[in-house]
PDB file of all heavy atoms in Angstrom:
ATOM      1  N   ARG A   1     -20.651 145.194 -14.709  1.00 94.00           N
ATOM      2  CA  ARG A   1     -19.426 144.563 -15.181  1.00 94.00           C
ATOM      3  C   ARG A   1     -18.487 145.692 -15.654  1.00 94.00           C
ATOM      4  O   ARG A   1     -17.236 145.632 -15.348  1.00 94.00           O
ATOM      5  CB  ARG A   1     -19.685 143.652 -16.339  1.00 94.00           C
ATOM      6  CG  ARG A   1     -20.278 142.389 -15.821  1.00 94.00           C
ATOM      7  CD  ARG A   1     -20.431 141.297 -16.954  1.00 94.00           C
ATOM      8  NE  ARG A   1     -20.832 140.048 -16.454  1.00 94.00           N
ATOM      9  CZ  ARG A   1     -21.780 139.342 -16.936  1.00 94.00           C
ATOM     10  NH1 ARG A   1     -22.396 139.693 -18.006  1.00 94.00           N
ATOM     11  NH2 ARG A   1     -22.173 138.218 -16.332  1.00 94.00           N
ATOM     12  N   ALA A   2     -18.940 146.712 -16.349  1.00 94.00           N
ATOM     13  CA  ALA A   2     -18.159 147.783 -16.812  1.00 94.00           C
ATOM     14  C   ALA A   2     -17.614 148.543 -15.642  1.00 94.00           C
ATOM     15  O   ALA A   2     -16.384 148.969 -15.595  1.00 94.00           O
ATOM     16  CB  ALA A   2     -18.962 148.713 -17.665  1.00 94.00           C
ATOM     17  N   TYR A   3     -18.377 148.761 -14.562  1.00 94.00           N
ATOM     18  CA  TYR A   3     -17.943 149.504 -13.371  1.00 94.00           C
ATOM     19  C   TYR A   3     -16.833 148.694 -12.687  1.00 94.00           C
ATOM     20  O   TYR A   3     -15.818 149.173 -12.276  1.00 94.00           O
ATOM     21  CB  TYR A   3     -19.064 149.757 -12.441  1.00 94.00           C
ATOM     22  CG  TYR A   3     -18.755 150.532 -11.211  1.00 94.00           C
ATOM     23  CD1 TYR A   3     -18.480 151.943 -11.225  1.00 94.00           C
ATOM     24  CD2 TYR A   3     -18.498 149.845  -9.973  1.00 94.00           C
ATOM     25  CE1 TYR A   3     -18.107 152.560 -10.090  1.00 94.00           C
ATOM     26  CE2 TYR A   3     -18.084 150.546  -8.827  1.00 94.00           C
ATOM     27  CZ  TYR A   3     -17.931 151.889  -8.923  1.00 94.00           C
ATOM     28  OH  TYR A   3     -17.537 152.600  -7.815  1.00 94.00           O
ATOM     29  N   ALA A   4     -17.083 147.393 -12.618  1.00 93.00           N
ATOM     30  CA  ALA A   4     -16.120 146.500 -12.006  1.00 93.00           C
ATOM     31  C   ALA A   4     -14.750 146.473 -12.707  1.00 93.00           C
ATOM     32  O   ALA A   4     -13.700 146.500 -12.134  1.00 93.00           O
ATOM     33  CB  ALA A   4     -16.635 145.118 -11.799  1.00 93.00           C
ATOM     34  N   ARG A   5     -14.847 146.415 -14.105  1.00 93.00           N
ATOM     35  CA  ARG A   5     -13.614 146.515 -14.838  1.00 93.00           C
ATOM     36  C   ARG A   5     -12.855 147.768 -14.648  1.00 93.00           C
ATOM     37  O   ARG A   5     -11.664 147.825 -14.576  1.00 93.00           O
ATOM     38  CB  ARG A   5     -13.930 146.337 -16.334  1.00 93.00           C
ATOM     39  CG  ARG A   5     -14.027 144.900 -16.778  1.00 93.00           C
ATOM     40  CD  ARG A   5     -14.063 144.764 -18.284  1.00 93.00           C
ATOM     41  NE  ARG A   5     -15.164 145.487 -18.914  1.00 93.00           N
ATOM     42  CZ  ARG A   5     -16.362 144.974 -19.127  1.00 93.00           C
ATOM     43  NH1 ARG A   5     -16.655 143.771 -18.749  1.00 93.00           N
ATOM     44  NH2 ARG A   5     -17.324 145.705 -19.770  1.00 93.00           N
ATOM     45  N   LYS A   6     -13.614 148.920 -14.594  1.00 93.00           N
ATOM     46  CA  LYS A   6     -13.026 150.242 -14.507  1.00 93.00           C
ATOM     47  C   LYS A   6     -12.321 150.428 -13.236  1.00 93.00           C
ATOM     48  O   LYS A   6     -11.219 150.916 -13.077  1.00 93.00           O
ATOM     49  CB  LYS A   6     -14.106 151.320 -14.616  1.00 93.00           C
ATOM     50  CG  LYS A   6     -13.668 152.734 -14.515  1.00 93.00           C
ATOM     51  CD  LYS A   6     -14.878 153.671 -14.597  1.00 93.00           C
ATOM     52  CE  LYS A   6     -14.365 155.071 -14.270  1.00 93.00           C
ATOM     53  NZ  LYS A   6     -15.509 156.004 -14.206  1.00 93.00           N
ATOM     54  N   LYS A   7     -12.963 149.935 -12.054  1.00 92.00           N
ATOM     55  CA  LYS A   7     -12.388 150.099 -10.705  1.00 92.00           C
ATOM     56  C   LYS A   7     -11.414 148.940 -10.347  1.00 92.00           C
ATOM     57  O   LYS A   7     -10.711 149.105  -9.434  1.00 92.00           O
ATOM     58  CB  LYS A   7     -13.475 150.151  -9.675  1.00 92.00           C
ATOM     59  CG  LYS A   7     -14.341 151.393  -9.819  1.00 92.00           C
ATOM     60  CD  LYS A   7     -13.616 152.646  -9.377  1.00 92.00           C
ATOM     61  CE  LYS A   7     -14.453 153.850  -9.426  1.00 92.00           C
ATOM     62  NZ  LYS A   7     -13.766 155.068  -9.032  1.00 92.00           N
ATOM     63  N   GLY A   8     -11.502 147.822 -10.995  1.00 91.00           N
ATOM     64  CA  GLY A   8     -10.714 146.741 -10.694  1.00 91.00           C
ATOM     65  C   GLY A   8     -11.591 145.818  -9.870  1.00 91.00           C
ATOM     66  O   GLY A   8     -12.211 146.238  -8.867  1.00 91.00           O
ATOM     67  N   ARG A   9     -11.692 144.534 -10.251  1.00 87.00           N
ATOM     68  CA  ARG A   9     -12.630 143.590  -9.679  1.00 87.00           C
ATOM     69  C   ARG A   9     -12.414 143.457  -8.176  1.00 87.00           C
ATOM     70  O   ARG A   9     -13.400 143.297  -7.424  1.00 87.00           O
ATOM     71  CB  ARG A   9     -12.444 142.242 -10.355  1.00 87.00           C
ATOM     72  CG  ARG A   9     -13.656 141.334 -10.214  1.00 87.00           C
ATOM     73  CD  ARG A   9     -13.562 140.200 -11.077  1.00 87.00           C
ATOM     74  NE  ARG A   9     -12.662 139.185 -10.414  1.00 87.00           N
ATOM     75  CZ  ARG A   9     -12.399 138.037 -10.918  1.00 87.00           C
ATOM     76  NH1 ARG A   9     -12.813 137.624 -12.139  1.00 87.00           N
ATOM     77  NH2 ARG A   9     -11.702 137.169 -10.223  1.00 87.00           N
ATOM     78  N   ASN A  10     -11.221 143.520  -7.732  1.00 89.00           N
ATOM     79  CA  ASN A  10     -10.929 143.381  -6.264  1.00 89.00           C
ATOM     80  C   ASN A  10     -11.203 144.658  -5.456  1.00 89.00           C
ATOM     81  O   ASN A  10     -11.136 144.668  -4.246  1.00 89.00           O
ATOM     82  CB  ASN A  10      -9.530 142.877  -6.019  1.00 89.00           C
ATOM     83  CG  ASN A  10      -9.281 141.535  -6.630  1.00 89.00           C
ATOM     84  OD1 ASN A  10     -10.221 140.674  -6.662  1.00 89.00           O
ATOM     85  ND2 ASN A  10      -8.106 141.260  -7.099  1.00 89.00           N
ATOM     86  N   ASN A  11     -11.502 145.751  -6.131  1.00 91.00           N
ATOM     87  CA  ASN A  11     -11.704 147.084  -5.453  1.00 91.00           C
ATOM     88  C   ASN A  11     -13.119 147.516  -5.401  1.00 91.00           C
ATOM     89  O   ASN A  11     -13.470 148.594  -5.049  1.00 91.00           O
ATOM     90  CB  ASN A  11     -10.888 148.104  -6.152  1.00 91.00           C
ATOM     91  CG  ASN A  11      -9.400 147.835  -6.080  1.00 91.00           C
ATOM     92  OD1 ASN A  11      -8.868 147.278  -5.193  1.00 91.00           O
ATOM     93  ND2 ASN A  11      -8.728 148.210  -7.179  1.00 91.00           N
ATOM     94  N   VAL A  12     -13.994 146.573  -5.825  1.00 92.00           N
ATOM     95  CA  VAL A  12     -15.478 146.949  -5.856  1.00 92.00           C
ATOM     96  C   VAL A  12     -16.295 146.028  -4.870  1.00 92.00           C
ATOM     97  O   VAL A  12     -16.088 144.869  -4.788  1.00 92.00           O
ATOM     98  CB  VAL A  12     -16.046 146.653  -7.266  1.00 92.00           C
ATOM     99  CG1 VAL A  12     -17.514 146.983  -7.323  1.00 92.00           C
ATOM    100  CG2 VAL A  12     -15.325 147.535  -8.264  1.00 92.00           C
ATOM    101  N   THR A  13     -17.155 146.704  -4.095  1.00 92.00           N
ATOM    102  CA  THR A  13     -17.992 146.026  -3.136  1.00 92.00           C
ATOM    103  C   THR A  13     -19.427 146.078  -3.687  1.00 92.00           C
ATOM    104  O   THR A  13     -19.756 146.889  -4.592  1.00 92.00           O
ATOM    105  CB  THR A  13     -18.001 146.641  -1.750  1.00 92.00           C
ATOM    106  OG1 THR A  13     -18.564 147.960  -1.852  1.00 92.00           O
ATOM    107  CG2 THR A  13     -16.577 146.762  -1.181  1.00 92.00           C
ATOM    108  N   VAL A  14     -20.281 145.262  -3.129  1.00 93.00           N
ATOM    109  CA  VAL A  14     -21.673 145.248  -3.542  1.00 93.00           C
ATOM    110  C   VAL A  14     -22.289 146.597  -3.235  1.00 93.00           C
ATOM    111  O   VAL A  14     -23.053 147.194  -4.040  1.00 93.00           O
ATOM    112  CB  VAL A  14     -22.455 144.149  -2.815  1.00 93.00           C
ATOM    113  CG1 VAL A  14     -23.933 144.233  -3.062  1.00 93.00           C
ATOM    114  CG2 VAL A  14     -21.971 142.788  -3.322  1.00 93.00           C
ATOM    115  N   ASP A  15     -21.878 147.208  -2.068  1.00 93.00           N
ATOM    116  CA  ASP A  15     -22.451 148.544  -1.734  1.00 93.00           C
ATOM    117  C   ASP A  15     -22.015 149.518  -2.762  1.00 93.00           C
ATOM    118  O   ASP A  15     -22.804 150.475  -3.033  1.00 93.00           O
ATOM    119  CB  ASP A  15     -21.923 148.956  -0.296  1.00 93.00           C
ATOM    120  CG  ASP A  15     -22.595 148.154   0.774  1.00 93.00           C
ATOM    121  OD1 ASP A  15     -23.703 147.610   0.546  1.00 93.00           O
ATOM    122  OD2 ASP A  15     -22.003 148.069   1.851  1.00 93.00           O
ATOM    123  N   ASP A  16     -20.769 149.483  -3.259  1.00 91.00           N
ATOM    124  CA  ASP A  16     -20.369 150.379  -4.326  1.00 91.00           C
ATOM    125  C   ASP A  16     -21.243 150.331  -5.588  1.00 91.00           C
ATOM    126  O   ASP A  16     -21.682 151.240  -6.141  1.00 91.00           O
ATOM    127  CB  ASP A  16     -18.906 150.131  -4.789  1.00 91.00           C
ATOM    128  CG  ASP A  16     -17.888 150.412  -3.705  1.00 91.00           C
ATOM    129  OD1 ASP A  16     -18.140 151.203  -2.756  1.00 91.00           O
ATOM    130  OD2 ASP A  16     -16.772 149.867  -3.863  1.00 91.00           O
ATOM    131  N   LEU A  17     -21.472 149.025  -5.994  1.00 93.00           N
ATOM    132  CA  LEU A  17     -22.379 148.821  -7.116  1.00 93.00           C
ATOM    133  C   LEU A  17     -23.769 149.403  -6.862  1.00 93.00           C
ATOM    134  O   LEU A  17     -24.307 150.046  -7.754  1.00 93.00           O
ATOM    135  CB  LEU A  17     -22.444 147.304  -7.448  1.00 93.00           C
ATOM    136  CG  LEU A  17     -21.225 146.693  -8.101  1.00 93.00           C
ATOM    137  CD1 LEU A  17     -21.344 145.200  -8.209  1.00 93.00           C
ATOM    138  CD2 LEU A  17     -20.897 147.336  -9.395  1.00 93.00           C
ATOM    139  N   ILE A  18     -24.330 149.052  -5.787  1.00 94.00           N
ATOM    140  CA  ILE A  18     -25.626 149.522  -5.455  1.00 94.00           C
ATOM    141  C   ILE A  18     -25.703 151.077  -5.519  1.00 94.00           C
ATOM    142  O   ILE A  18     -26.627 151.652  -6.123  1.00 94.00           O
ATOM    143  CB  ILE A  18     -26.070 149.030  -4.076  1.00 94.00           C
ATOM    144  CG1 ILE A  18     -26.355 147.545  -4.150  1.00 94.00           C
ATOM    145  CG2 ILE A  18     -27.400 149.751  -3.576  1.00 94.00           C
ATOM    146  CD1 ILE A  18     -26.656 146.862  -2.820  1.00 94.00           C
ATOM    147  N   HIS A  19     -24.741 151.676  -4.867  1.00 94.00           N
ATOM    148  CA  HIS A  19     -24.702 153.155  -4.885  1.00 94.00           C
ATOM    149  C   HIS A  19     -24.610 153.792  -6.279  1.00 94.00           C
ATOM    150  O   HIS A  19     -25.284 154.785  -6.567  1.00 94.00           O
ATOM    151  CB  HIS A  19     -23.531 153.594  -4.033  1.00 94.00           C
ATOM    152  CG  HIS A  19     -23.418 155.153  -3.946  1.00 94.00           C
ATOM    153  ND1 HIS A  19     -24.271 155.882  -3.129  1.00 94.00           N
ATOM    154  CD2 HIS A  19     -22.531 156.018  -4.445  1.00 94.00           C
ATOM    155  CE1 HIS A  19     -23.913 157.169  -3.184  1.00 94.00           C
ATOM    156  NE2 HIS A  19     -22.889 157.236  -4.020  1.00 94.00           N
ATOM    157  N   VAL A  20     -23.831 153.205  -7.150  1.00 92.00           N
ATOM    158  CA  VAL A  20     -23.566 153.714  -8.477  1.00 92.00           C
ATOM    159  C   VAL A  20     -24.725 153.280  -9.436  1.00 92.00           C
ATOM    160  O   VAL A  20     -25.163 154.188 -10.263  1.00 92.00           O
ATOM    161  CB  VAL A  20     -22.245 153.199  -9.044  1.00 92.00           C
ATOM    162  CG1 VAL A  20     -22.095 153.535 -10.461  1.00 92.00           C
ATOM    163  CG2 VAL A  20     -21.131 153.815  -8.192  1.00 92.00           C
ATOM    164  N   ILE A  21     -25.151 152.084  -9.382  1.00 94.00           N
ATOM    165  CA  ILE A  21     -26.124 151.599 -10.393  1.00 94.00           C
ATOM    166  C   ILE A  21     -27.575 151.873 -10.129  1.00 94.00           C
ATOM    167  O   ILE A  21     -28.394 152.088 -11.001  1.00 94.00           O
ATOM    168  CB  ILE A  21     -25.886 150.018 -10.502  1.00 94.00           C
ATOM    169  CG1 ILE A  21     -24.453 149.748 -10.951  1.00 94.00           C
ATOM    170  CG2 ILE A  21     -26.879 149.476 -11.544  1.00 94.00           C
ATOM    171  CD1 ILE A  21     -23.957 150.317 -12.291  1.00 94.00           C
ATOM    172  N   THR A  22     -27.929 151.957  -8.820  1.00 95.00           N
ATOM    173  CA  THR A  22     -29.354 152.197  -8.421  1.00 95.00           C
ATOM    174  C   THR A  22     -30.054 153.393  -9.181  1.00 95.00           C
ATOM    175  O   THR A  22     -31.092 153.259  -9.769  1.00 95.00           O
ATOM    176  CB  THR A  22     -29.518 152.267  -6.917  1.00 95.00           C
ATOM    177  OG1 THR A  22     -29.196 150.960  -6.402  1.00 95.00           O
ATOM    178  CG2 THR A  22     -30.997 152.551  -6.573  1.00 95.00           C
ATOM    179  N   PRO A  23     -29.362 154.595  -9.090  1.00 95.00           N
ATOM    180  CA  PRO A  23     -30.047 155.756  -9.792  1.00 95.00           C
ATOM    181  C   PRO A  23     -30.200 155.471 -11.271  1.00 95.00           C
ATOM    182  O   PRO A  23     -31.241 155.817 -11.848  1.00 95.00           O
ATOM    183  CB  PRO A  23     -29.055 156.861  -9.563  1.00 95.00           C
ATOM    184  CG  PRO A  23     -28.272 156.475  -8.354  1.00 95.00           C
ATOM    185  CD  PRO A  23     -28.121 154.982  -8.385  1.00 95.00           C
ATOM    186  N   LYS A  24     -29.196 154.888 -11.944  1.00 94.00           N
ATOM    187  CA  LYS A  24     -29.299 154.615 -13.344  1.00 94.00           C
ATOM    188  C   LYS A  24     -30.417 153.567 -13.673  1.00 94.00           C
ATOM    189  O   LYS A  24     -31.137 153.633 -14.586  1.00 94.00           O
ATOM    190  CB  LYS A  24     -28.024 154.036 -13.885  1.00 94.00           C
ATOM    191  CG  LYS A  24     -26.895 155.104 -13.889  1.00 94.00           C
ATOM    192  CD  LYS A  24     -25.564 154.505 -14.279  1.00 94.00           C
ATOM    193  CE  LYS A  24     -24.461 155.572 -14.145  1.00 94.00           C
ATOM    194  NZ  LYS A  24     -23.129 155.021 -14.461  1.00 94.00           N
ATOM    195  N   GLY A  25     -30.429 152.541 -12.816  1.00 95.00           N
ATOM    196  CA  GLY A  25     -31.476 151.541 -12.917  1.00 95.00           C
ATOM    197  C   GLY A  25     -32.890 152.066 -12.811  1.00 95.00           C
ATOM    198  O   GLY A  25     -33.675 151.697 -13.623  1.00 95.00           O
ATOM    199  N   ARG A  26     -33.113 152.860 -11.800  1.00 95.00           N
ATOM    200  CA  ARG A  26     -34.448 153.370 -11.556  1.00 95.00           C
ATOM    201  C   ARG A  26     -34.848 154.283 -12.729  1.00 95.00           C
ATOM    202  O   ARG A  26     -36.012 154.325 -13.147  1.00 95.00           O
ATOM    203  CB  ARG A  26     -34.501 154.190 -10.252  1.00 95.00           C
ATOM    204  CG  ARG A  26     -34.509 153.249  -9.073  1.00 95.00           C
ATOM    205  CD  ARG A  26     -34.698 154.011  -7.815  1.00 95.00           C
ATOM    206  NE  ARG A  26     -34.703 153.104  -6.621  1.00 95.00           N
ATOM    207  CZ  ARG A  26     -34.408 153.401  -5.396  1.00 95.00           C
ATOM    208  NH1 ARG A  26     -34.039 154.593  -5.093  1.00 95.00           N
ATOM    209  NH2 ARG A  26     -34.500 152.509  -4.494  1.00 95.00           N
ATOM    210  N   ALA A  27     -33.889 155.073 -13.249  1.00 95.00           N
ATOM    211  CA  ALA A  27     -34.222 156.038 -14.281  1.00 95.00           C
ATOM    212  C   ALA A  27     -34.439 155.274 -15.633  1.00 95.00           C
ATOM    213  O   ALA A  27     -35.157 155.830 -16.526  1.00 95.00           O
ATOM    214  CB  ALA A  27     -33.101 157.019 -14.497  1.00 95.00           C
ATOM    215  N   SER A  28     -33.904 154.066 -15.787  1.00 96.00           N
ATOM    216  CA  SER A  28     -34.014 153.398 -17.091  1.00 96.00           C
ATOM    217  C   SER A  28     -35.105 152.352 -17.153  1.00 96.00           C
ATOM    218  O   SER A  28     -35.253 151.672 -18.216  1.00 96.00           O
ATOM    219  CB  SER A  28     -32.730 152.799 -17.419  1.00 96.00           C
ATOM    220  OG  SER A  28     -32.332 151.755 -16.533  1.00 96.00           O
ATOM    221  N   VAL A  29     -35.966 152.244 -16.099  1.00 96.00           N
ATOM    222  CA  VAL A  29     -37.081 151.302 -16.167  1.00 96.00           C
ATOM    223  C   VAL A  29     -38.120 151.926 -17.230  1.00 96.00           C
ATOM    224  O   VAL A  29     -38.424 153.118 -17.157  1.00 96.00           O
ATOM    225  CB  VAL A  29     -37.806 151.136 -14.860  1.00 96.00           C
ATOM    226  CG1 VAL A  29     -39.127 150.363 -15.023  1.00 96.00           C
ATOM    227  CG2 VAL A  29     -36.848 150.510 -13.857  1.00 96.00           C
ATOM    228  N   PRO A  30     -38.485 151.089 -18.253  1.00 96.00           N
ATOM    229  CA  PRO A  30     -39.337 151.641 -19.327  1.00 96.00           C
ATOM    230  C   PRO A  30     -40.672 152.132 -18.729  1.00 96.00           C
ATOM    231  O   PRO A  30     -41.245 151.550 -17.878  1.00 96.00           O
ATOM    232  CB  PRO A  30     -39.535 150.428 -20.217  1.00 96.00           C
ATOM    233  CG  PRO A  30     -38.364 149.544 -19.995  1.00 96.00           C
ATOM    234  CD  PRO A  30     -38.021 149.699 -18.548  1.00 96.00           C
ATOM    235  N   ASP A  31     -41.141 153.256 -19.301  1.00 96.00           N
ATOM    236  CA  ASP A  31     -42.370 153.798 -18.900  1.00 96.00           C
ATOM    237  C   ASP A  31     -43.560 152.829 -19.056  1.00 96.00           C
ATOM    238  O   ASP A  31     -44.502 152.828 -18.284  1.00 96.00           O
ATOM    239  CB  ASP A  31     -42.676 155.117 -19.711  1.00 96.00           C
ATOM    240  CG  ASP A  31     -41.821 156.270 -19.276  1.00 96.00           C
ATOM    241  OD1 ASP A  31     -41.280 156.146 -18.154  1.00 96.00           O
ATOM    242  OD2 ASP A  31     -41.658 157.163 -20.125  1.00 96.00           O
ATOM    243  N   SER A  32     -43.482 151.970 -20.082  1.00 96.00           N
ATOM    244  CA  SER A  32     -44.584 150.994 -20.271  1.00 96.00           C
ATOM    245  C   SER A  32     -44.664 150.008 -19.125  1.00 96.00           C
ATOM    246  O   SER A  32     -45.765 149.586 -18.796  1.00 96.00           O
ATOM    247  CB  SER A  32     -44.336 150.194 -21.601  1.00 96.00           C
ATOM    248  OG  SER A  32     -43.119 149.576 -21.590  1.00 96.00           O
ATOM    249  N   VAL A  33     -43.497 149.628 -18.561  1.00 96.00           N
ATOM    250  CA  VAL A  33     -43.498 148.716 -17.462  1.00 96.00           C
ATOM    251  C   VAL A  33     -44.053 149.442 -16.186  1.00 96.00           C
ATOM    252  O   VAL A  33     -44.865 148.892 -15.472  1.00 96.00           O
ATOM    253  CB  VAL A  33     -42.062 148.212 -17.134  1.00 96.00           C
ATOM    254  CG1 VAL A  33     -41.967 147.408 -15.868  1.00 96.00           C
ATOM    255  CG2 VAL A  33     -41.506 147.415 -18.397  1.00 96.00           C
ATOM    256  N   LYS A  34     -43.652 150.689 -15.987  1.00 96.00           N
ATOM    257  CA  LYS A  34     -44.195 151.462 -14.840  1.00 96.00           C
ATOM    258  C   LYS A  34     -45.674 151.567 -15.000  1.00 96.00           C
ATOM    259  O   LYS A  34     -46.449 151.381 -14.000  1.00 96.00           O
ATOM    260  CB  LYS A  34     -43.535 152.859 -14.799  1.00 96.00           C
ATOM    261  CG  LYS A  34     -42.124 152.773 -14.458  1.00 96.00           C
ATOM    262  CD  LYS A  34     -41.534 154.220 -14.513  1.00 96.00           C
ATOM    263  CE  LYS A  34     -40.068 154.278 -14.343  1.00 96.00           C
ATOM    264  NZ  LYS A  34     -39.466 155.696 -14.482  1.00 96.00           N
ATOM    265  N   ALA A  35     -46.121 151.889 -16.176  1.00 97.00           N
ATOM    266  CA  ALA A  35     -47.621 152.112 -16.426  1.00 97.00           C
ATOM    267  C   ALA A  35     -48.434 150.834 -16.162  1.00 97.00           C
ATOM    268  O   ALA A  35     -49.472 150.808 -15.596  1.00 97.00           O
ATOM    269  CB  ALA A  35     -47.866 152.596 -17.796  1.00 97.00           C
ATOM    270  N   GLU A  36     -47.843 149.677 -16.633  1.00 97.00           N
ATOM    271  CA  GLU A  36     -48.531 148.396 -16.405  1.00 97.00           C
ATOM    272  C   GLU A  36     -48.631 148.084 -14.893  1.00 97.00           C
ATOM    273  O   GLU A  36     -49.726 147.659 -14.422  1.00 97.00           O
ATOM    274  CB  GLU A  36     -47.822 147.318 -17.159  1.00 97.00           C
ATOM    275  CG  GLU A  36     -48.474 145.954 -17.045  1.00 97.00           C
ATOM    276  CD  GLU A  36     -47.789 144.850 -17.761  1.00 97.00           C
ATOM    277  OE1 GLU A  36     -46.728 145.033 -18.364  1.00 97.00           O
ATOM    278  OE2 GLU A  36     -48.327 143.742 -17.739  1.00 97.00           O
ATOM    279  N   LEU A  37     -47.533 148.242 -14.179  1.00 96.00           N
ATOM    280  CA  LEU A  37     -47.621 148.074 -12.740  1.00 96.00           C
ATOM    281  C   LEU A  37     -48.596 148.954 -12.056  1.00 96.00           C
ATOM    282  O   LEU A  37     -49.292 148.577 -11.148  1.00 96.00           O
ATOM    283  CB  LEU A  37     -46.171 148.162 -12.080  1.00 96.00           C
ATOM    284  CG  LEU A  37     -45.273 146.973 -12.311  1.00 96.00           C
ATOM    285  CD1 LEU A  37     -43.890 147.329 -11.964  1.00 96.00           C
ATOM    286  CD2 LEU A  37     -45.750 145.706 -11.633  1.00 96.00           C
ATOM    287  N   LEU A  38     -48.510 150.217 -12.384  1.00 95.00           N
ATOM    288  CA  LEU A  38     -49.406 151.174 -11.790  1.00 95.00           C
ATOM    289  C   LEU A  38     -50.901 150.815 -12.020  1.00 95.00           C
ATOM    290  O   LEU A  38     -51.721 150.860 -11.111  1.00 95.00           O
ATOM    291  CB  LEU A  38     -49.207 152.580 -12.343  1.00 95.00           C
ATOM    292  CG  LEU A  38     -49.902 153.692 -11.658  1.00 95.00           C
ATOM    293  CD1 LEU A  38     -49.729 153.762 -10.178  1.00 95.00           C
ATOM    294  CD2 LEU A  38     -49.490 155.095 -12.297  1.00 95.00           C
ATOM    295  N   GLN A  39     -51.269 150.325 -13.277  1.00 96.00           N
ATOM    296  CA  GLN A  39     -52.536 149.935 -13.571  1.00 96.00           C
ATOM    297  C   GLN A  39     -52.912 148.694 -12.800  1.00 96.00           C
ATOM    298  O   GLN A  39     -54.094 148.643 -12.303  1.00 96.00           O
ATOM    299  CB  GLN A  39     -52.747 149.638 -15.069  1.00 96.00           C
ATOM    300  CG  GLN A  39     -54.115 149.229 -15.541  1.00 96.00           C
ATOM    301  CD  GLN A  39     -55.107 150.316 -15.167  1.00 96.00           C
ATOM    302  OE1 GLN A  39     -54.846 151.485 -15.318  1.00 96.00           O
ATOM    303  NE2 GLN A  39     -56.195 149.863 -14.577  1.00 96.00           N
ATOM    304  N   ARG A  40     -52.028 147.756 -12.622  1.00 95.00           N
ATOM    305  CA  ARG A  40     -52.392 146.586 -11.776  1.00 95.00           C
ATOM    306  C   ARG A  40     -52.658 146.947 -10.325  1.00 95.00           C
ATOM    307  O   ARG A  40     -53.528 146.409  -9.659  1.00 95.00           O
ATOM    308  CB  ARG A  40     -51.171 145.601 -11.806  1.00 95.00           C
ATOM    309  CG  ARG A  40     -50.988 144.886 -13.144  1.00 95.00           C
ATOM    310  CD  ARG A  40     -51.985 143.693 -13.364  1.00 95.00           C
ATOM    311  NE  ARG A  40     -51.846 142.710 -12.340  1.00 95.00           N
ATOM    312  CZ  ARG A  40     -51.119 141.524 -12.428  1.00 95.00           C
ATOM    313  NH1 ARG A  40     -50.441 141.300 -13.531  1.00 95.00           N
ATOM    314  NH2 ARG A  40     -51.076 140.706 -11.458  1.00 95.00           N
ATOM    315  N   ILE A  41     -51.852 147.923  -9.794  1.00 93.00           N
ATOM    316  CA  ILE A  41     -52.053 148.355  -8.418  1.00 93.00           C
ATOM    317  C   ILE A  41     -53.431 149.033  -8.303  1.00 93.00           C
ATOM    318  O   ILE A  41     -54.154 148.899  -7.338  1.00 93.00           O
ATOM    319  CB  ILE A  41     -50.945 149.267  -7.949  1.00 93.00           C
ATOM    320  CG1 ILE A  41     -49.619 148.489  -7.875  1.00 93.00           C
ATOM    321  CG2 ILE A  41     -51.199 149.968  -6.630  1.00 93.00           C
ATOM    322  CD1 ILE A  41     -48.383 149.321  -7.731  1.00 93.00           C
ATOM    323  N   ARG A  42     -53.752 149.905  -9.294  1.00 93.00           N
ATOM    324  CA  ARG A  42     -55.050 150.611  -9.266  1.00 93.00           C
ATOM    325  C   ARG A  42     -56.223 149.609  -9.316  1.00 93.00           C
ATOM    326  O   ARG A  42     -57.189 149.695  -8.618  1.00 93.00           O
ATOM    327  CB  ARG A  42     -55.158 151.506 -10.448  1.00 93.00           C
ATOM    328  CG  ARG A  42     -54.350 152.824 -10.278  1.00 93.00           C
ATOM    329  CD  ARG A  42     -54.653 153.795 -11.428  1.00 93.00           C
ATOM    330  NE  ARG A  42     -53.956 155.018 -11.226  1.00 93.00           N
ATOM    331  CZ  ARG A  42     -53.281 155.616 -12.137  1.00 93.00           C
ATOM    332  NH1 ARG A  42     -53.282 155.214 -13.426  1.00 93.00           N
ATOM    333  NH2 ARG A  42     -52.664 156.818 -11.882  1.00 93.00           N
ATOM    334  N   SER A  43     -56.077 148.564 -10.194  1.00 93.00           N
ATOM    335  CA  SER A  43     -57.121 147.539 -10.281  1.00 93.00           C
ATOM    336  C   SER A  43     -57.293 146.874  -8.945  1.00 93.00           C
ATOM    337  O   SER A  43     -58.398 146.607  -8.486  1.00 93.00           O
ATOM    338  CB  SER A  43     -56.780 146.560 -11.350  1.00 93.00           C
ATOM    339  OG  SER A  43     -56.734 147.139 -12.575  1.00 93.00           O
ATOM    340  N   PHE A  44     -56.153 146.480  -8.281  1.00 93.00           N
ATOM    341  CA  PHE A  44     -56.213 145.876  -6.982  1.00 93.00           C
ATOM    342  C   PHE A  44     -56.931 146.724  -5.978  1.00 93.00           C
ATOM    343  O   PHE A  44     -57.737 146.288  -5.185  1.00 93.00           O
ATOM    344  CB  PHE A  44     -54.768 145.523  -6.516  1.00 93.00           C
ATOM    345  CG  PHE A  44     -54.678 145.067  -5.045  1.00 93.00           C
ATOM    346  CD1 PHE A  44     -55.056 143.839  -4.763  1.00 93.00           C
ATOM    347  CD2 PHE A  44     -54.340 146.011  -4.044  1.00 93.00           C
ATOM    348  CE1 PHE A  44     -55.030 143.386  -3.394  1.00 93.00           C
ATOM    349  CE2 PHE A  44     -54.265 145.605  -2.705  1.00 93.00           C
ATOM    350  CZ  PHE A  44     -54.635 144.241  -2.450  1.00 93.00           C
TER     351      PHE A  44
END
């Protein structure tokens, strides 16, 4: 939403959002969530 407000709602595409937000999203996944998923995969 902040990115869309900054660029103007009509000037933002889904691809723009994906390009800008994906790195931030991946970096901000909590370590506890990553660890839990990794443990489940190992158990499997």
